[in-house]
Amino acid sequence: MTKFYFGESPLETQTNRVTGLGGFFFKSQNAKELVTWYAKHLGLKTDQYGSTFWWKDSNGIDCSTQWSPFTEDTTYFQPSEKQFMMNFRVANLQVLLETLKQEGVTIVGEMQTYDYGKFGWILDPEGNKIELWEPIDSVFQ
């Protein structure tokens, strides 16, 4: 079995799937004011994108999780009609997307690569768009 920072995977596979929570994104009536409120009242260290939480995985490697409000008119969550989107950290996005496609999971768009990681998107059975992220955490430090 594959070891994750939160325990054993139930999947008998050589490929890591989800390795952690990458972020939680949600629509907001006024994202800028909300970020300011969370900084003032809950002490979140915020920037224009929300707040980044730093932690270490089981190997002591620095990792991040993002909390981000989006404007309520964002199209980033499409085709989902939901008010939120989850982001999960993954170890090998390209292999995972190929595996998920073979398993009949709906893939949204094409994998995209940036200097801070690779991204892919899927839909769960209830229409929730899920962002999958193979991060390069060192870029943020």
Side-chain angles (χ1 to χ4, degrees):
M1 289 198 175
T2 304
K3 281 282 250 193
F4 294 100
Y5 78 92
F6 49 80
E8 297 284 335
S9 168
L11 301 171
E12 296 287 340
T13 179
Q14 296 295 320
T15 304
N16 287 345
R17 292 198 181 201
V18 171
T19 61
L21 182 62
F24 182 74
F25 312 135
F26 58 97
K27 294 181 182 182
S28 166
Q29 293 177 357
N30 191 324
K32 288 180 184 179
E33 283 184 16
L34 197 59
V35 165
T36 301
W37 187 93
Y38 274 85
K40 178 180 178 180
H41 298 289
L42 295 180
L44 297 187
K45 183 179 177 185
T46 60
D47 59 24
Q48 66 184 4
Y49 303 109
S51 185
T52 303
F53 296 89
W54 286 97
W55 47 277
K56 295 189 183 292
D57 69 10
S58 62
N59 296 315
I61 298 171
D62 289 330
C63 299
S64 65
T65 299
Q66 186 70 28
W67 169 88
S68 296
F70 281 66
T71 61
E72 64 185 345
D73 62 349
T74 186
T75 59
Y76 193 63
F77 301 176
Q78 289 181 353
S80 176
E81 297 288 329
K82 305 292 176 108
Q83 297 296 310
F84 63 90
M85 184 174 71
M86 296 172 282
N87 170 297
F88 290 112
R89 299 168 61 91
V90 301
N92 188 332
L93 181 60
Q94 185 170 351
V95 170
L96 178 56
L97 287 173
E98 291 169 7
T99 301
L100 292 172
K101 185 176 182 180
Q102 292 173 0
E103 293 173 353
V105 173
T106 301
I107 309 295
V108 178
E110 299 293 324
M111 185 176 75
Q112 295 183 15
T113 302
Y114 300 93
D115 60 351
Y116 46 91
K118 297 176 184 175
F119 292 85
W121 299 268
I122 62 173
L123 290 178
D124 74 12
E126 293 189 2
N128 296 303
K129 185 176 180 184
I130 299 169
E131 184 170 72
L132 303 173
W133 175 38
E134 181 182 333
I136 303 173
D137 289 299
S138 60
V139 171
F140 299 107
Q141 299 176 347

